[in-house]
Amino acid sequence: QLQFDESRRVLAACQSHPAFDVVELRRIERGGASCDVIDGIVVDCCDGTVPSRSAVGIKNKERLLLLHGSGLVTPHEVNALRRDFPATLHQNSVREGDPPSLCVYVEPWSIVERTWTPAKHLERILWWLRETALGTLHLADQALERMHFVSPYHLVLPADFADRAGKGNDVLQIGGTSPRPDGKVLRGYWRPKGNAGPGDKLVTEPLVVTVPPAVSTGIEPYPRTLGALHDQLIRKGSSLLPELVASLKTVLPTSGRMPIPAANSGTILLLLHIPMKRTERINAERTDAEGYFAHTSLPHLGIACGAYFDGKDDNAYANNDLGSVFTSIDCGDAWRSIELEPVDVRTVLSSKDARRAAGVTEEGAEFQGILAGVGALGSCLARLWSREGWGSWTYVDDDVLFPHNIVRHAGEDRHIGLPKV
């Protein structure tokens, strides 16, 4: 009664394999009018190569659900049905309440499917369980996993974001670009605080928070609230609330107060710098940047998490211990329910970044040069050298761009009639 021939091939492989016992078959339907049908084969997988008492928590007998159909991470997905199955490295992102999904293939499915067979699929499952139980699935020289899966939204920040964020004079104006199949790319631009921006674009207060190092224990779904993010960091040996409070106090104006909006409106770009390390006792290998839109204002966030207190005069003040005048305020759990919208953060390349990507050494890369002639060859050199960040150039050419130049010149049709420089 399985829907697909390939599912029946997997079923036959399970029935003939000594490590797999078929328990039942399932039919899963997802979606509305155009319903996706998924075949499910529930098996008990028992392999003698998996240690009976692994430190990771993998048992030598696990109940698995082998799925095949459309709308899956890969056409053949493997779920662990034990409720207390451990959160390990190399698991796929699942919806809340869904069983863990084992990431049994490193390569894209377009490569795997060329040599895929049901028998190889079962051996790959056994390999995943065995290597995970032994703690050798993630190689010692393999790059650390990200903390979270990639968001469908991508935010590109200005190259000088790190130098200007939190200085109090600028806000970040964010606008969208053309939609992509997997989400939307957003661009951030600086503008002076208080100046109206063109169009209906999101304006956000940037807040940069550096948290203690976190241990890479696997990729997790993005948290939807500030409390969930804090809990994830705690589980990885890091934290959020103390560092968030400290960062909020640093962005308070020199006057020591911040006006509280009448309504809790506005948006904060919360940018986390998370040092990542392989184990608890070694130093961090890299620092990841993660971004979240928190749809609240800085004063309301500061009051919610205890960094500020409401002065009852439409202003928020730093919540410091000032003896008999003010005392520290217990913020409670109000901050935990603040909703987050994740964004994958990237930064525009600086000249130094461009040189590193192009393989240009820093020594001798900063100089003043003259490029005499920016025709077919000169315009290409000008474009390459400027993109690589190699030198600062003055272009010299008294010619203008004509239609026949477009064939080889870096200029385009819209530049006809303009000086080639």
Side-chain angles (χ1 to χ4, degrees), residues 106-152:
V106 179
E107 302 85 0
W109 178 251
S110 59
I111 296 177
V112 173
E113 67 177 337
R114 297 176 183 177
T115 58
W116 185 93
T117 65
K120 286 183 178 180
H121 184 54
L122 299 186
E123 292 300 327
R124 188 73 178 185
I125 295 171
L126 294 174
W127 169 83
W128 191 98
L129 293 171
R130 178 174 60 254
E131 296 298 316
T132 301
L134 296 174
T136 55
L137 182 63
H138 196 86
L139 301 178
D141 60 349
Q142 191 173 345
L144 294 178
E145 297 276 22
R146 294 168 52 105
M147 183 169 170
H148 295 117
F149 290 94
V150 177
S151 166

mmCIF file of all heavy atoms in Angstrom, residues 106-152:
data_model
loop_
_atom_site.group_PDB
_atom_site.id
_atom_site.type_symbol
_atom_site.label_atom_id
_atom_site.label_comp_id
_atom_site.label_asym_id
_atom_site.label_seq_id
_atom_site.Cartn_x
_atom_site.Cartn_y
_atom_site.Cartn_z
ATOM 1 N N VAL A 106 26.135 14.275 3.496
ATOM 2 C CA VAL A 106 26.839 15.553 3.505
ATOM 3 C C VAL A 106 26.645 16.270 2.173
ATOM 4 O O VAL A 106 26.422 17.477 2.125
ATOM 5 C CB VAL A 106 28.344 15.332 3.777
ATOM 6 C CG1 VAL A 106 29.095 16.665 3.751
ATOM 7 C CG2 VAL A 106 28.544 14.625 5.106
ATOM 8 N N GLU A 107 26.707 15.511 1.072
ATOM 9 C CA GLU A 107 26.621 16.095 -0.253
ATOM 10 C C GLU A 107 25.182 16.452 -0.590
ATOM 11 O O GLU A 107 24.238 15.885 -0.040
ATOM 12 C CB GLU A 107 27.166 15.124 -1.303
ATOM 13 C CG GLU A 107 28.601 14.692 -1.072
ATOM 14 C CD GLU A 107 28.691 13.509 -0.124
ATOM 15 O OE1 GLU A 107 27.627 13.054 0.343
ATOM 16 O OE2 GLU A 107 29.814 13.063 0.159
ATOM 17 N N PRO A 108 24.979 17.376 -1.533
ATOM 18 C CA PRO A 108 23.617 17.674 -2.020
ATOM 19 C C PRO A 108 22.993 16.432 -2.655
ATOM 20 O O PRO A 108 23.697 15.560 -3.187
ATOM 21 C CB PRO A 108 23.841 18.777 -3.056
ATOM 22 C CG PRO A 108 25.175 19.360 -2.742
ATOM 23 C CD PRO A 108 25.990 18.255 -2.163
ATOM 24 N N TRP A 109 21.668 16.364 -2.620
ATOM 25 C CA TRP A 109 20.975 15.203 -3.161
ATOM 26 C C TRP A 109 21.253 15.017 -4.649
ATOM 27 O O TRP A 109 21.279 13.880 -5.151
ATOM 28 C CB TRP A 109 19.473 15.329 -2.920
ATOM 29 C CG TRP A 109 18.706 14.174 -3.491
ATOM 30 C CD1 TRP A 109 17.885 14.183 -4.582
ATOM 31 C CD2 TRP A 109 18.729 12.825 -3.020
ATOM 32 N NE1 TRP A 109 17.394 12.930 -4.811
ATOM 33 C CE2 TRP A 109 17.891 12.071 -3.865
ATOM 34 C CE3 TRP A 109 19.368 12.182 -1.962
ATOM 35 C CZ2 TRP A 109 17.678 10.715 -3.694
ATOM 36 C CZ3 TRP A 109 19.161 10.827 -1.783
ATOM 37 C CH2 TRP A 109 18.327 10.106 -2.636
ATOM 38 N N SER A 110 21.499 16.108 -5.376
ATOM 39 C CA SER A 110 21.785 15.991 -6.801
ATOM 40 C C SER A 110 23.030 15.156 -7.061
ATOM 41 O O SER A 110 23.163 14.542 -8.130
ATOM 42 C CB SER A 110 21.955 17.383 -7.424
ATOM 43 O OG SER A 110 23.010 18.091 -6.788
ATOM 44 N N ILE A 111 23.942 15.102 -6.105
ATOM 45 C CA ILE A 111 25.135 14.266 -6.224
ATOM 46 C C ILE A 111 24.872 12.869 -5.675
ATOM 47 O O ILE A 111 25.264 11.865 -6.267
ATOM 48 C CB ILE A 111 26.324 14.920 -5.486
ATOM 49 C CG1 ILE A 111 26.686 16.255 -6.158
ATOM 50 C CG2 ILE A 111 27.535 13.985 -5.461
ATOM 51 C CD1 ILE A 111 27.784 17.012 -5.457
ATOM 52 N N VAL A 112 24.160 12.802 -4.539
ATOM 53 C CA VAL A 112 23.907 11.514 -3.890
ATOM 54 C C VAL A 112 23.077 10.598 -4.778
ATOM 55 O O VAL A 112 23.335 9.394 -4.887
ATOM 56 C CB VAL A 112 23.191 11.728 -2.531
ATOM 57 C CG1 VAL A 112 22.761 10.400 -1.928
ATOM 58 C CG2 VAL A 112 24.105 12.480 -1.573
ATOM 59 N N GLU A 113 22.070 11.159 -5.468
ATOM 60 C CA GLU A 113 21.120 10.328 -6.205
ATOM 61 C C GLU A 113 21.749 9.576 -7.372
ATOM 62 O O GLU A 113 21.201 8.588 -7.851
ATOM 63 C CB GLU A 113 19.957 11.177 -6.711
ATOM 64 C CG GLU A 113 20.328 12.197 -7.769
ATOM 65 C CD GLU A 113 19.103 12.949 -8.289
ATOM 66 O OE1 GLU A 113 17.986 12.394 -8.174
ATOM 67 O OE2 GLU A 113 19.263 14.084 -8.789
ATOM 68 N N ARG A 114 22.917 10.001 -7.823
ATOM 69 C CA ARG A 114 23.558 9.334 -8.958
ATOM 70 C C ARG A 114 23.965 7.898 -8.615
ATOM 71 O O ARG A 114 23.969 7.025 -9.484
ATOM 72 C CB ARG A 114 24.789 10.131 -9.400
ATOM 73 C CG ARG A 114 24.461 11.525 -9.909
ATOM 74 C CD ARG A 114 25.718 12.302 -10.242
ATOM 75 N NE ARG A 114 25.410 13.666 -10.671
ATOM 76 C CZ ARG A 114 26.319 14.571 -10.964
ATOM 77 N NH1 ARG A 114 27.603 14.266 -10.888
ATOM 78 N NH2 ARG A 114 25.969 15.796 -11.337
ATOM 79 N N THR A 115 24.343 7.673 -7.357
ATOM 80 C CA THR A 115 24.783 6.330 -6.960
ATOM 81 C C THR A 115 23.915 5.758 -5.836
ATOM 82 O O THR A 115 24.268 4.737 -5.250
ATOM 83 C CB THR A 115 26.253 6.375 -6.493
ATOM 84 O OG1 THR A 115 26.380 7.300 -5.400
ATOM 85 C CG2 THR A 115 27.167 6.817 -7.629
ATOM 86 N N TRP A 116 22.788 6.406 -5.535
ATOM 87 C CA TRP A 116 21.953 5.985 -4.404
ATOM 88 C C TRP A 116 21.244 4.664 -4.716
ATOM 89 O O TRP A 116 20.727 4.451 -5.816
ATOM 90 C CB TRP A 116 20.912 7.063 -4.109
ATOM 91 C CG TRP A 116 20.083 6.787 -2.886
ATOM 92 C CD1 TRP A 116 20.322 7.205 -1.630
ATOM 93 C CD2 TRP A 116 18.871 6.032 -2.835
ATOM 94 N NE1 TRP A 116 19.343 6.767 -0.781
ATOM 95 C CE2 TRP A 116 18.436 6.031 -1.490
ATOM 96 C CE3 TRP A 116 18.110 5.347 -3.787
ATOM 97 C CZ2 TRP A 116 17.273 5.389 -1.075
ATOM 98 C CZ3 TRP A 116 16.963 4.699 -3.379
ATOM 99 C CH2 TRP A 116 16.553 4.723 -2.035
ATOM 100 N N THR A 117 21.237 3.779 -3.715
ATOM 101 C CA THR A 117 20.436 2.557 -3.756
ATOM 102 C C THR A 117 19.837 2.346 -2.379
ATOM 103 O O THR A 117 20.368 2.850 -1.377
ATOM 104 C CB THR A 117 21.275 1.322 -4.134
ATOM 105 O OG1 THR A 117 22.236 1.074 -3.087
ATOM 106 C CG2 THR A 117 21.996 1.516 -5.466
ATOM 107 N N PRO A 118 18.730 1.603 -2.253
ATOM 108 C CA PRO A 118 18.163 1.336 -0.926
ATOM 109 C C PRO A 118 19.164 0.669 0.016
ATOM 110 O O PRO A 118 19.212 0.988 1.211
ATOM 111 C CB PRO A 118 16.980 0.419 -1.237
ATOM 112 C CG PRO A 118 16.572 0.787 -2.629
ATOM 113 C CD PRO A 118 17.858 1.108 -3.338
ATOM 114 N N ALA A 119 19.972 -0.270 -0.491
ATOM 115 C CA ALA A 119 20.947 -0.945 0.370
ATOM 116 C C ALA A 119 21.992 0.035 0.896
ATOM 117 O O ALA A 119 22.350 0.008 2.083
ATOM 118 C CB ALA A 119 21.623 -2.078 -0.407
ATOM 119 N N LYS A 120 22.483 0.933 0.019
ATOM 120 C CA LYS A 120 23.443 1.946 0.460
ATOM 121 C C LYS A 120 22.807 2.894 1.478
ATOM 122 O O LYS A 120 23.461 3.358 2.414
ATOM 123 C CB LYS A 120 23.963 2.737 -0.741
ATOM 124 C CG LYS A 120 24.945 1.987 -1.624
ATOM 125 C CD LYS A 120 25.449 2.904 -2.731
ATOM 126 C CE LYS A 120 26.482 2.200 -3.609
ATOM 127 N NZ LYS A 120 26.978 3.086 -4.697
ATOM 128 N N HIS A 121 21.530 3.178 1.284
ATOM 129 C CA HIS A 121 20.817 4.076 2.199
ATOM 130 C C HIS A 121 20.789 3.488 3.610
ATOM 131 O O HIS A 121 21.048 4.190 4.596
ATOM 132 C CB HIS A 121 19.399 4.300 1.679
ATOM 133 C CG HIS A 121 18.602 5.276 2.474
ATOM 134 N ND1 HIS A 121 19.028 6.559 2.751
ATOM 135 C CD2 HIS A 121 17.369 5.157 3.071
ATOM 136 C CE1 HIS A 121 18.117 7.196 3.465
ATOM 137 N NE2 HIS A 121 17.109 6.369 3.682
ATOM 138 N N LEU A 122 20.495 2.209 3.719
ATOM 139 C CA LEU A 122 20.459 1.569 5.036
ATOM 140 C C LEU A 122 21.849 1.549 5.669
ATOM 141 O O LEU A 122 21.991 1.775 6.884
ATOM 142 C CB LEU A 122 19.902 0.153 4.911
ATOM 143 C CG LEU A 122 18.467 0.029 4.380
ATOM 144 C CD1 LEU A 122 18.013 -1.420 4.457
ATOM 145 C CD2 LEU A 122 17.506 0.945 5.128
ATOM 146 N N GLU A 123 22.883 1.274 4.887
ATOM 147 C CA GLU A 123 24.238 1.281 5.424
ATOM 148 C C GLU A 123 24.643 2.679 5.879
ATOM 149 O O GLU A 123 25.362 2.838 6.866
ATOM 150 C CB GLU A 123 25.220 0.764 4.374
ATOM 151 C CG GLU A 123 25.070 -0.713 4.045
ATOM 152 C CD GLU A 123 25.285 -1.601 5.281
ATOM 153 O OE1 GLU A 123 26.108 -1.228 6.148
ATOM 154 O OE2 GLU A 123 24.620 -2.648 5.357
ATOM 155 N N ARG A 124 24.165 3.692 5.162
ATOM 156 C CA ARG A 124 24.471 5.070 5.550
ATOM 157 C C ARG A 124 23.810 5.411 6.881
ATOM 158 O O ARG A 124 24.383 6.116 7.718
ATOM 159 C CB ARG A 124 23.971 6.025 4.466
ATOM 160 C CG ARG A 124 24.396 7.470 4.660
ATOM 161 C CD ARG A 124 25.850 7.655 4.349
ATOM 162 N NE ARG A 124 26.239 9.061 4.492
ATOM 163 C CZ ARG A 124 27.439 9.545 4.194
ATOM 164 N NH1 ARG A 124 28.377 8.731 3.739
ATOM 165 N NH2 ARG A 124 27.721 10.817 4.351
ATOM 166 N N ILE A 125 22.607 4.918 7.124
ATOM 167 C CA ILE A 125 21.928 5.139 8.407
ATOM 168 C C ILE A 125 22.721 4.494 9.537
ATOM 169 O O ILE A 125 22.937 5.093 10.597
ATOM 170 C CB ILE A 125 20.492 4.580 8.349
ATOM 171 C CG1 ILE A 125 19.661 5.371 7.334
ATOM 172 C CG2 ILE A 125 19.846 4.621 9.722
ATOM 173 C CD1 ILE A 125 18.306 4.765 7.054
ATOM 174 N N LEU A 126 23.157 3.248 9.323
ATOM 175 C CA LEU A 126 23.959 2.558 10.338
ATOM 176 C C LEU A 126 25.264 3.309 10.602
ATOM 177 O O LEU A 126 25.710 3.417 11.751
ATOM 178 C CB LEU A 126 24.253 1.123 9.882
ATOM 179 C CG LEU A 126 23.042 0.192 9.764
ATOM 180 C CD1 LEU A 126 23.457 -1.145 9.163
ATOM 181 C CD2 LEU A 126 22.391 -0.014 11.128
ATOM 182 N N TRP A 127 25.871 3.816 9.533
ATOM 183 C CA TRP A 127 27.105 4.605 9.698
ATOM 184 C C TRP A 127 26.852 5.844 10.538
ATOM 185 O O TRP A 127 27.644 6.166 11.428
ATOM 186 C CB TRP A 127 27.619 5.005 8.307
ATOM 187 C CG TRP A 127 28.716 6.011 8.321
ATOM 188 C CD1 TRP A 127 30.054 5.783 8.503
ATOM 189 C CD2 TRP A 127 28.579 7.434 8.163
ATOM 190 N NE1 TRP A 127 30.751 6.959 8.461
ATOM 191 C CE2 TRP A 127 29.877 7.992 8.258
ATOM 192 C CE3 TRP A 127 27.498 8.276 7.938
ATOM 193 C CZ2 TRP A 127 30.109 9.359 8.136
ATOM 194 C CZ3 TRP A 127 27.729 9.630 7.829
ATOM 195 C CH2 TRP A 127 29.007 10.167 7.918
ATOM 196 N N TRP A 128 25.746 6.548 10.288
ATOM 197 C CA TRP A 128 25.437 7.763 11.063
ATOM 198 C C TRP A 128 25.265 7.433 12.539
ATOM 199 O O TRP A 128 25.816 8.121 13.405
ATOM 200 C CB TRP A 128 24.161 8.412 10.512
ATOM 201 C CG TRP A 128 23.901 9.794 11.045
ATOM 202 C CD1 TRP A 128 24.192 10.972 10.438
ATOM 203 C CD2 TRP A 128 23.289 10.133 12.309
ATOM 204 N NE1 TRP A 128 23.807 12.029 11.238
ATOM 205 C CE2 TRP A 128 23.253 11.545 12.395
ATOM 206 C CE3 TRP A 128 22.777 9.397 13.364
ATOM 207 C CZ2 TRP A 128 22.726 12.215 13.482
ATOM 208 C CZ3 TRP A 128 22.252 10.063 14.466
ATOM 209 C CH2 TRP A 128 22.233 11.460 14.519
ATOM 210 N N LEU A 129 24.513 6.394 12.840
ATOM 211 C CA LEU A 129 24.279 6.027 14.238
ATOM 212 C C LEU A 129 25.586 5.622 14.919
ATOM 213 O O LEU A 129 25.859 6.014 16.062
ATOM 214 C CB LEU A 129 23.263 4.879 14.313
ATOM 215 C CG LEU A 129 21.831 5.225 13.875
ATOM 216 C CD1 LEU A 129 21.002 3.954 13.778
ATOM 217 C CD2 LEU A 129 21.187 6.210 14.840
ATOM 218 N N ARG A 130 26.391 4.826 14.226
ATOM 219 C CA ARG A 130 27.634 4.334 14.824
ATOM 220 C C ARG A 130 28.623 5.472 15.060
ATOM 221 O O ARG A 130 29.172 5.615 16.165
ATOM 222 C CB ARG A 130 28.262 3.284 13.909
ATOM 223 C CG ARG A 130 29.597 2.736 14.404
ATOM 224 C CD ARG A 130 30.101 1.613 13.540
ATOM 225 N NE ARG A 130 30.317 2.026 12.147
ATOM 226 C CZ ARG A 130 29.520 1.693 11.133
ATOM 227 N NH1 ARG A 130 28.454 0.937 11.334
ATOM 228 N NH2 ARG A 130 29.787 2.098 9.900
ATOM 229 N N GLU A 131 28.855 6.305 14.054
ATOM 230 C CA GLU A 131 29.829 7.388 14.196
ATOM 231 C C GLU A 131 29.370 8.427 15.213
ATOM 232 O O GLU A 131 30.173 9.002 15.938
ATOM 233 C CB GLU A 131 30.072 8.050 12.832
ATOM 234 C CG GLU A 131 30.694 7.138 11.794
ATOM 235 C CD GLU A 131 32.072 6.653 12.213
ATOM 236 O OE1 GLU A 131 32.869 7.475 12.710
ATOM 237 O OE2 GLU A 131 32.359 5.447 12.054
ATOM 238 N N THR A 132 28.063 8.693 15.254
ATOM 239 C CA THR A 132 27.543 9.635 16.248
ATOM 240 C C THR A 132 27.717 9.082 17.654
ATOM 241 O O THR A 132 28.113 9.802 18.580
ATOM 242 C CB THR A 132 26.060 9.931 15.978
ATOM 243 O OG1 THR A 132 25.917 10.483 14.658
ATOM 244 C CG2 THR A 132 25.513 10.930 16.983
ATOM 245 N N ALA A 133 27.430 7.793 17.838
ATOM 246 C CA ALA A 133 27.586 7.168 19.156
ATOM 247 C C ALA A 133 29.035 7.181 19.623
ATOM 248 O O ALA A 133 29.318 7.363 20.816
ATOM 249 C CB ALA A 133 27.063 5.732 19.111
ATOM 250 N N LEU A 134 29.957 7.010 18.684
ATOM 251 C CA LEU A 134 31.386 6.995 19.030
ATOM 252 C C LEU A 134 31.974 8.398 19.145
ATOM 253 O O LEU A 134 33.122 8.559 19.569
ATOM 254 C CB LEU A 134 32.166 6.199 17.978
ATOM 255 C CG LEU A 134 31.828 4.708 17.871
ATOM 256 C CD1 LEU A 134 32.567 4.079 16.699
ATOM 257 C CD2 LEU A 134 32.191 3.985 19.170
ATOM 258 N N GLY A 135 31.207 9.414 18.747
ATOM 259 C CA GLY A 135 31.696 10.789 18.806
ATOM 260 C C GLY A 135 32.662 11.141 17.698
ATOM 261 O O GLY A 135 33.432 12.099 17.822
ATOM 262 N N THR A 136 32.635 10.386 16.598
ATOM 263 C CA THR A 136 33.577 10.611 15.498
ATOM 264 C C THR A 136 32.896 11.072 14.211
ATOM 265 O O THR A 136 33.541 11.152 13.176
ATOM 266 C CB THR A 136 34.372 9.315 15.210
ATOM 267 O OG1 THR A 136 33.442 8.244 14.953
ATOM 268 C CG2 THR A 136 35.255 8.955 16.400
ATOM 269 N N LEU A 137 31.591 11.351 14.267
ATOM 270 C CA LEU A 137 30.898 11.777 13.051
ATOM 271 C C LEU A 137 31.414 13.127 12.578
ATOM 272 O O LEU A 137 31.617 13.357 11.393
ATOM 273 C CB LEU A 137 29.391 11.847 13.303
ATOM 274 C CG LEU A 137 28.526 12.239 12.102
ATOM 275 C CD1 LEU A 137 28.647 11.193 11.003
ATOM 276 C CD2 LEU A 137 27.077 12.417 12.497
ATOM 277 N N HIS A 138 31.634 14.053 13.534
ATOM 278 C CA HIS A 138 32.175 15.372 13.199
ATOM 279 C C HIS A 138 33.677 15.308 13.410
ATOM 280 O O HIS A 138 34.157 15.218 14.542
ATOM 281 C CB HIS A 138 31.543 16.450 14.081
ATOM 282 C CG HIS A 138 31.750 17.840 13.564
ATOM 283 N ND1 HIS A 138 30.916 18.418 12.650
ATOM 284 C CD2 HIS A 138 32.716 18.753 13.810
ATOM 285 C CE1 HIS A 138 31.326 19.641 12.368
ATOM 286 N NE2 HIS A 138 32.424 19.859 13.058
ATOM 287 N N LEU A 139 34.452 15.327 12.317
ATOM 288 C CA LEU A 139 35.893 15.149 12.386
ATOM 289 C C LEU A 139 36.554 16.305 13.124
ATOM 290 O O LEU A 139 36.057 17.440 13.132
ATOM 291 C CB LEU A 139 36.471 15.026 10.981
ATOM 292 C CG LEU A 139 35.915 13.864 10.141
ATOM 293 C CD1 LEU A 139 36.535 13.879 8.750
ATOM 294 C CD2 LEU A 139 36.163 12.529 10.834
ATOM 295 N N ALA A 140 37.694 16.020 13.733
ATOM 296 C CA ALA A 140 38.389 17.030 14.529
ATOM 297 C C ALA A 140 38.858 18.208 13.692
ATOM 298 O O ALA A 140 38.951 19.332 14.187
ATOM 299 C CB ALA A 140 39.585 16.384 15.243
ATOM 300 N N ASP A 141 39.174 17.968 12.406
ATOM 301 C CA ASP A 141 39.626 19.055 11.545
ATOM 302 C C ASP A 141 38.498 19.640 10.696
ATOM 303 O O ASP A 141 38.739 20.456 9.812
ATOM 304 C CB ASP A 141 40.758 18.570 10.640
ATOM 305 C CG ASP A 141 40.329 17.406 9.745
ATOM 306 O OD1 ASP A 141 39.232 16.862 9.977
ATOM 307 O OD2 ASP A 141 41.084 17.059 8.832
ATOM 308 N N GLN A 142 37.255 19.228 10.963
ATOM 309 C CA GLN A 142 36.108 19.749 10.221
ATOM 310 C C GLN A 142 35.663 21.061 10.831
ATOM 311 O O GLN A 142 35.727 21.257 12.048
ATOM 312 C CB GLN A 142 34.969 18.728 10.261
ATOM 313 C CG GLN A 142 33.821 19.028 9.323
ATOM 314 C CD GLN A 142 32.810 17.878 9.288
ATOM 315 O OE1 GLN A 142 33.108 16.786 9.748
ATOM 316 N NE2 GLN A 142 31.644 18.147 8.754
ATOM 317 N N ALA A 143 35.234 21.993 9.983
ATOM 318 C CA ALA A 143 34.800 23.307 10.476
ATOM 319 C C ALA A 143 33.639 23.165 11.448
ATOM 320 O O ALA A 143 32.806 22.255 11.330
ATOM 321 C CB ALA A 143 34.394 24.190 9.300
ATOM 322 N N LEU A 144 33.583 24.066 12.430
ATOM 323 C CA LEU A 144 32.502 24.048 13.408
ATOM 324 C C LEU A 144 31.168 24.325 12.737
ATOM 325 O O LEU A 144 31.075 25.075 11.764
ATOM 326 C CB LEU A 144 32.749 25.102 14.492
ATOM 327 C CG LEU A 144 33.942 24.891 15.406
ATOM 328 C CD1 LEU A 144 34.064 26.054 16.372
ATOM 329 C CD2 LEU A 144 33.809 23.588 16.185
ATOM 330 N N GLU A 145 30.104 23.717 13.278
ATOM 331 C CA GLU A 145 28.763 23.982 12.787
ATOM 332 C C GLU A 145 28.326 25.388 13.202
ATOM 333 O O GLU A 145 28.780 25.936 14.205
ATOM 334 C CB GLU A 145 27.779 22.963 13.379
ATOM 335 C CG GLU A 145 28.050 21.525 12.970
ATOM 336 C CD GLU A 145 27.437 21.192 11.628
ATOM 337 O OE1 GLU A 145 27.185 22.133 10.840
ATOM 338 O OE2 GLU A 145 27.216 20.011 11.355
ATOM 339 N N ARG A 146 27.434 25.976 12.407
ATOM 340 C CA ARG A 146 26.764 27.196 12.841
ATOM 341 C C ARG A 146 25.900 26.891 14.050
ATOM 342 O O ARG A 146 25.550 25.741 14.307
ATOM 343 C CB ARG A 146 25.870 27.734 11.726
ATOM 344 C CG ARG A 146 26.575 28.220 10.493
ATOM 345 C CD ARG A 146 25.564 28.447 9.381
ATOM 346 N NE ARG A 146 24.453 29.290 9.819
ATOM 347 C CZ ARG A 146 24.300 30.554 9.477
ATOM 348 N NH1 ARG A 146 25.188 31.140 8.704
ATOM 349 N NH2 ARG A 146 23.260 31.255 9.883
ATOM 350 N N MET A 147 25.515 27.945 14.771
ATOM 351 C CA MET A 147 24.625 27.740 15.902
ATOM 352 C C MET A 147 23.195 27.518 15.425
ATOM 353 O O MET A 147 22.455 26.725 15.988
ATOM 354 C CB MET A 147 24.679 28.940 16.839
ATOM 355 C CG MET A 147 23.819 28.778 18.081
ATOM 356 S SD MET A 147 24.144 30.051 19.290
ATOM 357 C CE MET A 147 22.786 29.762 20.440
ATOM 358 N N HIS A 148 22.788 28.219 14.348
ATOM 359 C CA HIS A 148 21.424 28.118 13.840
ATOM 360 C C HIS A 148 21.437 27.886 12.333
ATOM 361 O O HIS A 148 22.422 28.161 11.654
ATOM 362 C CB HIS A 148 20.632 29.396 14.143
ATOM 363 C CG HIS A 148 20.428 29.645 15.597
ATOM 364 N ND1 HIS A 148 20.949 30.741 16.239
ATOM 365 C CD2 HIS A 148 19.772 28.944 16.542
ATOM 366 C CE1 HIS A 148 20.624 30.705 17.519
ATOM 367 N NE2 HIS A 148 19.904 29.618 17.722
ATOM 368 N N PHE A 149 20.331 27.376 11.830
ATOM 369 C CA PHE A 149 20.164 27.234 10.396
ATOM 370 C C PHE A 149 20.014 28.611 9.761
ATOM 371 O O PHE A 149 19.678 29.594 10.427
ATOM 372 C CB PHE A 149 18.939 26.365 10.086
ATOM 373 C CG PHE A 149 19.121 24.925 10.448
ATOM 374 C CD1 PHE A 149 18.703 24.437 11.682
ATOM 375 C CD2 PHE A 149 19.727 24.050 9.561
ATOM 376 C CE1 PHE A 149 18.884 23.111 12.026
ATOM 377 C CE2 PHE A 149 19.911 22.725 9.892
ATOM 378 C CZ PHE A 149 19.486 22.245 11.133
ATOM 379 N N VAL A 150 20.249 28.686 8.446
ATOM 380 C CA VAL A 150 20.216 29.967 7.744
ATOM 381 C C VAL A 150 18.777 30.446 7.612
ATOM 382 O O VAL A 150 17.884 29.701 7.220
ATOM 383 C CB VAL A 150 20.865 29.832 6.349
ATOM 384 C CG1 VAL A 150 20.770 31.151 5.586
ATOM 385 C CG2 VAL A 150 22.316 29.415 6.490
ATOM 386 N N SER A 151 18.561 31.727 7.933
ATOM 387 C CA SER A 151 17.245 32.335 7.813
ATOM 388 C C SER A 151 16.913 32.586 6.346
ATOM 389 O O SER A 151 17.805 32.801 5.520
ATOM 390 C CB SER A 151 17.221 33.660 8.585
ATOM 391 O OG SER A 151 16.087 34.427 8.240
ATOM 392 N N PRO A 152 15.623 32.604 5.979
ATOM 393 C CA PRO A 152 15.258 32.945 4.591
ATOM 394 C C PRO A 152 15.455 34.418 4.271
ATOM 395 O O PRO A 152 15.339 34.814 3.116
ATOM 396 C CB PRO A 152 13.779 32.554 4.523
ATOM 397 C CG PRO A 152 13.300 32.613 5.918
ATOM 398 C CD PRO A 152 14.457 32.198 6.773
#
